[in-house]
Amino acid sequence: MKILVAGGAGYIGSVCVEQLVERGHDVVVVDNLSRGHRQAVHPDAWLEIGDLSDVAFLQRVFSATKFDAVMHFCAASLVGESVSDPLPYYGNNLTNGFNLVRTMLDHGVKHFVFSSTAALFGEPRSVPIDESAIKDPTNPYGRTKLFFEGFLNDCDAAYGLKSICLRYFNAAGASEKFGEDHDPETHLIPIILQVAAGQREKVMIFGDDYATPDGTCVRDYIHVLDLAEAHILALDYLRGENISDQFNLGNGKGYSVLEVVAAVESVTDREILIQMAPRRRGDPAVLVAASEKAREILSWNPTRGSLKQIITSAWQWMDNHRAGYQG
Ligand code: UFG
């Protein structure tokens, strides 16, 4: 298939592109390289550098190739930042997403895989969280993703656009070649690994007074390669069934921030200095997925579920990329 991957130079996008290419698909990556990296694009994929705010650019890309499907990874995606600076979240996640979908529809492309998020649930009433749980985001990031899911439903009803929304819980880990390289880094696992590698003095623990067993936030960490496989399956499902749907993607097991610190200490055999800090605005206490629906309908079978395995892959990638993609 010919697939356009928007945001294919970013963390999760780059691993999905790798998996698509390995399965023989023709991939065109569209990325403005603001947070992504040229080196993160698989050499067998074609890279078009440009921004989704540039409709003329999008029209050119869609005119040059007749795509079978689009995968959309571009987003501003940091929970804390979305609270302090929501404007780019609405611009990137809504306006730019509209441009992409409108251009697809102009060119008759009707299959769309969307990177959605656990953040659209907000503080869950019960865990694990299944697809039907109440959606009440606690931050602008989650609100933009929830709104966009609604927009996709409307586009299905009106124009027959079929979409699969994949709601990631906490993506982590790396493939052999592609991993996480953000500047600045804000995610928990790479930050703790930077402490282990001596690149950072300590990790701040954002809140130890949550209603969780040890007072720190609980998250469901899912290996990026397992996420990438869900995208491939979503694409097959769209092509085969031509039905829109939404799926929660996680392992169904939560780890507190302090448990993640301990797991990194065990994997790296290094002591991690921690410091308690105030809560980060917008953080729900617990996010753990119920992913039975993806297992049943998509036949998704995540196989890299242990936290140790996830952290080990990220640690190996960091070891091979001491300065990230510049190294
Ligand atoms: N945390 C710390 N110290 C840090 C960094 C993070 O204590 O230096 C804590 C956070 O407060 C949170 C947990 O570690 O409780 C995980 O934080 P991350 O920043 O790694 O991830 P988030 O849970 O905030 O968000 C991630 C993605 C979102 C996605 C969400 C879904 O960045 O895009 O997972 O669960 F929506």
Coordinates of all heavy atoms in Angstrom, one line a residue, residues 77-79 117-119 141 168-170 186-189 191 203-206 217 219 221 257 280 283 287, ligand 1:
S77 N 2.1 17.3 22.3 CA 1.6 16.2 23.1 C 2.1 16.1 24.5 O 2.1 15.1 25.2 CB 2.0 14.8 22.4 OG 3.4 14.7 22.4
L78 N 2.5 17.3 25.0 CA 3.0 17.3 26.4 C 1.9 17.8 27.4 O 1.4 19.0 27.2 CB 4.3 18.1 26.6 CG 5.4 17.7 25.6 CD1 6.6 18.6 25.8 CD2 5.8 16.2 26.0
V79 N 1.5 17.0 28.3 CA 0.4 17.3 29.2 C 0.7 18.7 29.9 O -0.2 19.6 29.9 CB 0.2 16.2 30.2 CG1 -0.7 16.6 31.3 CG2 -0.3 15.0 29.5
T117 N -5.2 9.4 22.5 CA -4.4 9.3 23.7 C -5.3 9.0 24.9 O -6.5 9.3 24.9 CB -3.8 10.7 24.0 OG1 -3.2 10.6 25.3 CG2 -4.8 11.8 24.1
A118 N -4.7 8.4 25.9 CA -5.4 8.1 27.2 C -5.8 9.4 27.9 O -6.7 9.4 28.7 CB -4.5 7.3 28.1
A119 N -5.1 10.5 27.5 CA -5.4 11.8 28.2 C -6.8 12.3 27.9 O -7.2 13.2 28.6 CB -4.3 12.8 27.7
Y141 N -4.4 19.3 26.2 CA -3.9 18.2 25.2 C -5.0 17.2 25.0 O -5.4 16.9 23.9 CB -2.6 17.6 25.8 CG -2.2 16.3 25.0 CD1 -2.0 16.4 23.7 CD2 -2.1 15.1 25.7 CE1 -1.7 15.2 23.0 CE2 -1.8 14.0 25.0 CZ -1.5 14.0 23.7 OH -1.2 12.9 23.0
Y168 N -3.2 5.8 22.8 CA -2.1 5.3 23.5 C -2.1 5.6 25.0 O -2.4 6.7 25.4 CB -0.8 5.9 23.0 CG -0.6 6.1 21.5 CD1 0.2 7.1 21.0 CD2 -1.2 5.2 20.6 CE1 0.4 7.2 19.6 CE2 -1.0 5.3 19.3 CZ -0.2 6.4 18.8 OH 0.0 6.5 17.4
F169 N -1.7 4.7 25.8 CA -1.4 5.0 27.2 C 0.1 5.5 27.1 O 0.4 6.2 26.2 CB -1.7 3.8 28.1 CG -3.2 3.8 28.3 CD1 -4.1 3.7 27.2 CD2 -3.8 4.1 29.6 CE1 -5.5 3.8 27.4 CE2 -5.2 4.2 29.8 CZ -6.0 4.0 28.7
N170 N 1.0 5.0 28.0 CA 2.3 5.7 28.0 C 3.3 5.0 27.1 O 3.9 3.9 27.5 CB 2.8 5.9 29.4 CG 2.1 7.0 30.1 OD1 0.9 7.0 30.2 ND2 2.9 8.0 30.5
T186 N 10.9 15.5 28.5 CA 10.0 15.7 29.7 C 9.4 14.3 30.1 O 8.8 14.3 31.2 CB 8.8 16.5 29.3 OG1 8.0 15.9 28.3 CG2 9.2 17.9 28.8
H187 N 9.6 13.2 29.4 CA 9.0 12.0 29.7 C 9.8 11.2 30.8 O 11.0 11.3 30.8 CB 8.8 11.1 28.5 CG 7.8 11.7 27.5 ND1 8.1 12.4 26.4 CD2 6.4 11.7 27.6 CE1 7.0 12.8 25.8 NE2 6.0 12.4 26.5
L188 N 9.0 10.5 31.6 CA 9.6 9.9 32.8 C 10.8 8.9 32.5 O 11.8 9.1 33.1 CB 8.5 9.2 33.6 CG 9.0 8.6 34.9 CD1 9.5 9.7 35.9 CD2 7.9 7.8 35.6
I189 N 10.5 7.9 31.7 CA 11.5 6.9 31.5 C 12.8 7.5 30.9 O 13.9 7.2 31.5 CB 11.0 5.7 30.7 CG1 10.0 5.0 31.6 CG2 12.1 4.7 30.2 CD1 9.3 3.7 31.0
I191 N 14.0 10.4 31.1 CA 14.6 11.3 32.1 C 15.3 10.5 33.1 O 16.5 10.8 33.5 CB 13.5 12.2 32.8 CG1 13.2 13.4 31.8 CG2 14.0 12.8 34.1 CD1 12.2 14.4 32.3
V203 N 16.1 13.1 39.2 CA 14.7 13.2 38.7 C 13.8 13.8 39.7 O 13.8 13.4 40.9 CB 14.3 11.8 38.2 CG1 14.3 10.7 39.2 CG2 12.8 11.8 37.6
M204 N 13.0 14.7 39.2 CA 12.0 15.3 40.1 C 10.8 14.4 40.1 O 10.3 14.0 39.0 CB 11.6 16.7 39.6 CG 12.8 17.6 39.3 SD 13.8 18.0 40.7 CE 12.9 19.1 41.6
I205 N 10.2 14.2 41.2 CA 9.0 13.3 41.3 C 7.8 14.3 41.5 O 7.7 15.0 42.5 CB 9.0 12.4 42.5 CG1 10.3 11.6 42.5 CG2 7.8 11.5 42.5 CD1 10.5 10.5 41.4
F206 N 7.0 14.4 40.5 CA 5.9 15.4 40.5 C 4.7 14.9 41.3 O 3.7 14.5 40.7 CB 5.5 15.7 39.0 CG 6.6 16.3 38.2 CD1 6.7 16.0 36.8 CD2 7.5 17.2 38.7 CE1 7.7 16.6 36.1 CE2 8.5 17.8 37.9 CZ 8.6 17.5 36.6
C217 N 2.1 9.1 40.8 CA 1.1 8.8 39.7 C 1.4 7.4 39.1 O 2.6 7.0 39.0 CB 1.2 9.8 38.6 SG 0.5 11.4 39.0
R219 N 1.0 4.9 35.8 CA 0.8 4.9 34.4 C 1.0 3.5 33.8 O 1.7 2.6 34.4 CB 1.8 5.8 33.7 CG 1.6 7.3 34.0 CD 0.4 7.9 33.3 NE 0.2 9.3 33.6 CZ -0.4 9.8 34.7 NH1 -0.9 9.0 35.6 NH2 -0.6 11.1 34.8
Y221 N 2.6 1.6 31.0 CA 3.7 1.8 29.9 C 3.6 0.7 28.9 O 3.5 -0.5 29.2 CB 5.1 1.8 30.6 CG 5.2 3.0 31.5 CD1 4.8 2.9 32.9 CD2 5.6 4.2 31.0 CE1 4.8 4.1 33.7 CE2 5.7 5.4 31.9 CZ 5.3 5.3 33.2 OH 5.3 6.4 34.0
V257 N 5.4 6.1 39.7 CA 6.6 6.8 39.3 C 7.8 6.2 40.1 O 8.9 5.9 39.5 CB 6.5 8.3 39.6 CG1 7.9 9.0 39.3 CG2 5.4 8.9 38.7
R280 N 2.4 18.1 38.9 CA 2.4 18.8 37.6 C 1.0 19.0 37.2 O 0.2 18.1 37.3 CB 3.2 17.9 36.6 CG 3.5 18.6 35.3 CD 4.3 17.7 34.4 NE 3.6 16.5 34.0 CZ 4.1 15.5 33.2 NH1 5.3 15.6 32.8 NH2 3.3 14.5 32.9
D283 N -2.1 16.5 35.5 CA -1.8 15.0 35.6 C -2.9 14.3 36.3 O -3.2 14.6 37.5 CB -0.5 14.8 36.4 CG 0.8 14.8 35.6 OD1 0.7 14.7 34.4 OD2 1.8 14.8 36.2
L287 N -3.7 6.1 35.2 CA -4.2 5.8 33.8 C -3.7 4.4 33.5 O -2.5 4.1 33.3 CB -3.6 6.8 32.8 CG -4.2 8.2 32.8 CD1 -3.4 9.1 31.8 CD2 -5.7 8.2 32.4
Ligands
UFG1 N1 6.9 12.5 35.9 C1 7.7 12.9 37.0 N2 8.9 13.5 36.8 C2 9.4 13.7 35.5 C3 8.6 13.4 34.4 C4 7.3 12.8 34.7 O1 7.3 12.6 38.2 O2 10.5 14.3 35.4 C5 5.7 11.8 36.2 C6 4.5 12.6 35.6 O3 4.0 13.6 36.5 C7 3.5 11.5 35.3 C8 4.4 10.3 35.0 O4 5.7 10.6 35.5 O5 2.8 11.2 36.5 C9 4.5 10.0 33.5 O6 4.8 11.3 32.9 P1 5.2 11.4 31.4 O7 5.5 12.9 31.1 O8 6.3 10.4 31.0 O9 3.9 11.0 30.6 P2 2.4 11.5 30.8 O10 1.6 10.5 31.5 O11 2.3 12.9 31.3 O12 1.9 11.6 29.3 C10 2.2 10.6 28.3 C11 2.2 11.2 27.0 C12 0.9 11.9 26.6 C13 -0.2 10.8 26.8 C14 -0.1 10.2 28.2 C15 -1.2 9.1 28.2 O13 3.2 12.2 26.9 O14 0.9 12.3 25.3 O15 1.2 9.6 28.4 O16 -1.1 8.4 29.4 F1 -1.4 11.4 26.7

